[in-house]
Amino acid sequence: QVSLVESGGGLVQPGGSLRLSCVASGSIGNINAMGWYRQAPGKERELVAWSASGDTTNYAGSVKGRFTISRENAKNTVSLQMNNLKPDETAVYYCKARQFLGPGACREYWGRGTQVTVSS
Protein backbone atom coordinates (compact mmCIF):
# COMPACT_ATOMS: atom_id res chain seq x y z
CA GLN A 1 0.00 0.00 0.00
CA VAL A 2 1.16 3.51 -0.79
CA SER A 3 0.22 6.61 1.14
CA LEU A 4 0.38 10.06 -0.44
CA VAL A 5 0.39 13.22 1.65
CA GLU A 6 0.04 16.64 0.06
CA SER A 7 1.07 19.95 1.53
CA GLY A 8 1.44 23.57 0.48
CA GLY A 9 -2.12 24.60 -0.25
CA GLY A 10 -3.64 27.80 1.03
CA LEU A 11 -5.06 31.18 0.16
CA VAL A 12 -3.32 33.28 -2.45
CA GLN A 13 -4.23 36.43 -4.33
CA PRO A 14 -4.78 36.37 -8.09
CA GLY A 15 -1.42 36.49 -9.80
CA GLY A 16 0.30 34.95 -6.83
CA SER A 17 2.26 31.71 -6.48
CA LEU A 18 2.08 28.54 -4.45
CA ARG A 19 4.17 25.41 -4.33
CA LEU A 20 2.51 22.09 -3.61
CA SER A 21 4.40 19.02 -2.48
CA CYS A 22 3.46 15.37 -2.21
CA VAL A 23 5.40 12.66 -0.41
CA ALA A 24 4.83 8.97 -1.03
CA SER A 25 5.43 6.41 1.70
CA GLY A 26 4.78 2.73 2.30
CA SER A 27 5.39 0.11 -0.39
CA ILE A 28 6.76 2.65 -2.83
CA GLY A 29 8.76 0.34 -5.04
CA ASN A 30 8.12 0.63 -8.79
CA ILE A 31 6.29 3.93 -8.66
CA ASN A 32 6.85 5.07 -12.21
CA ALA A 33 4.73 8.20 -12.41
CA MET A 34 3.34 10.89 -10.16
CA GLY A 35 1.32 13.99 -10.77
CA TRP A 36 -1.39 16.41 -9.82
CA TYR A 37 -5.09 16.67 -10.47
CA ARG A 38 -7.61 19.22 -9.26
CA GLN A 39 -11.32 19.34 -8.65
CA ALA A 40 -13.26 22.56 -8.40
CA PRO A 41 -16.71 22.68 -6.79
CA GLY A 42 -19.31 21.23 -9.11
CA LYS A 43 -16.73 20.11 -11.65
CA GLU A 44 -15.02 16.87 -12.53
CA ARG A 45 -11.51 16.10 -11.43
CA GLU A 46 -9.01 17.08 -14.11
CA LEU A 47 -5.36 16.53 -14.85
CA VAL A 48 -3.07 19.43 -14.05
CA ALA A 49 0.39 17.99 -14.57
CA TRP A 50 1.95 14.55 -14.81
CA SER A 51 5.52 13.29 -14.60
CA ALA A 52 6.39 9.81 -15.83
CA SER A 53 9.59 7.83 -16.11
CA GLY A 54 12.15 9.19 -18.49
CA ASP A 55 11.32 12.74 -17.40
CA THR A 56 8.20 12.78 -19.54
CA THR A 57 5.83 15.52 -18.45
CA ASN A 58 2.34 16.51 -19.49
CA TYR A 59 0.44 19.65 -18.61
CA ALA A 60 -3.11 20.79 -19.00
CA GLY A 61 -3.17 23.40 -21.72
CA SER A 62 -4.49 26.04 -19.36
CA VAL A 63 -1.46 25.80 -17.06
CA LYS A 64 1.39 25.50 -19.57
CA GLY A 65 3.98 28.15 -19.01
CA ARG A 66 2.74 28.92 -15.50
CA PHE A 67 2.96 25.60 -13.63
CA THR A 68 6.02 23.38 -13.34
CA ILE A 69 6.04 19.82 -12.07
CA SER A 70 9.16 18.27 -10.62
CA ARG A 71 9.97 14.89 -9.14
CA GLU A 72 12.67 13.70 -6.80
CA ASN A 73 12.69 9.96 -7.30
CA ALA A 74 15.13 9.34 -4.47
CA LYS A 75 12.74 11.03 -2.07
CA ASN A 76 9.56 9.82 -3.76
CA THR A 77 8.22 13.31 -3.91
CA VAL A 78 6.53 15.38 -6.53
CA SER A 79 6.08 19.13 -6.43
CA LEU A 80 4.01 21.59 -8.38
CA GLN A 81 5.12 25.20 -8.67
CA MET A 82 2.13 27.32 -9.58
CA ASN A 83 2.64 30.88 -10.76
CA ASN A 84 0.23 33.58 -11.84
CA LEU A 85 -2.72 31.79 -10.28
CA LYS A 86 -6.23 32.65 -11.36
CA PRO A 87 -9.45 32.67 -9.35
CA ASP A 88 -10.97 29.87 -11.42
CA GLU A 89 -8.08 27.64 -10.34
CA THR A 90 -9.54 27.48 -6.89
CA ALA A 91 -9.88 23.78 -6.23
CA VAL A 92 -8.78 20.84 -4.18
CA TYR A 93 -5.49 19.63 -5.62
CA TYR A 94 -4.82 15.92 -5.43
CA CYS A 95 -1.59 14.00 -5.76
CA LYS A 96 -1.69 10.76 -7.71
CA ALA A 97 0.88 8.00 -8.10
CA ARG A 98 1.04 5.06 -10.45
CA GLN A 99 2.81 1.88 -9.47
CA PHE A 100 4.00 -0.69 -11.97
CA LEU A 101 2.92 -4.20 -11.00
CA GLY A 102 3.91 -6.14 -14.07
CA PRO A 103 3.31 -6.28 -17.82
CA GLY A 104 0.05 -4.47 -18.49
CA ALA A 105 -0.72 -4.01 -14.82
CA CYS A 106 -0.51 -1.01 -12.56
CA ARG A 107 -2.14 0.40 -9.46
CA GLU A 108 -3.02 4.00 -8.79
CA TYR A 109 -3.09 5.84 -5.50
CA TRP A 110 -4.55 9.18 -4.50
CA GLY A 111 -3.80 11.59 -1.73
CA ARG A 112 -6.54 13.27 0.29
CA GLY A 113 -6.01 16.61 -1.40
CA THR A 114 -4.99 20.11 -0.41
CA GLN A 115 -7.18 23.16 -0.84
CA VAL A 116 -5.98 26.01 -3.04
CA THR A 117 -8.03 29.18 -2.94
CA VAL A 118 -7.25 32.04 -5.29
CA SER A 119 -9.04 35.15 -4.15
CA SER A 120 -8.47 38.79 -3.35
Side-chain angles (χ1 to χ4, degrees), residues 19-114:
R19 184 175 181 86
L20 306 182
S21 294
C22 172
V23 179
S25 62
S27 301
I28 58 177
N30 294 326
I31 290 179
N32 60 6
M34 296 180 74
W36 295 91
Y37 284 67
R38 66 188 176 191
Q39 187 166 18
K43 295 188 177 181
E44 293 186 355
R45 193 172 297 188
E46 62 176 2
L47 172 69
V48 178
W50 188 248
S51 176
S53 57
D55 293 327
T56 301
T57 57
N58 291 315
Y59 292 93
S62 62
V63 309
K64 283 183 179 178
R66 298 185 298 118
F67 290 14
T68 302
I69 188 170
S70 58
R71 284 180 65 192
E72 293 187 55
N73 291 330
K75 297 181 179 180
N76 287 294
T77 64
V78 63
S79 298
L80 184 69
Q81 177 67 41
M82 306 185 294
N83 297 328
N84 192 19
L85 281 158
K86 304 174 181 181
D88 62 1
E89 293 180 310
T90 294
V92 178
Y93 284 69
Y94 295 91
C95 179
K96 178 180 174 181
R98 185 179 68 204
Q99 186 175 47
F100 176 74
L101 299 179
C106 65
R107 183 173 293 158
E108 297 179 338
Y109 299 92
W110 291 92
R112 291 188 174 185
T114 184

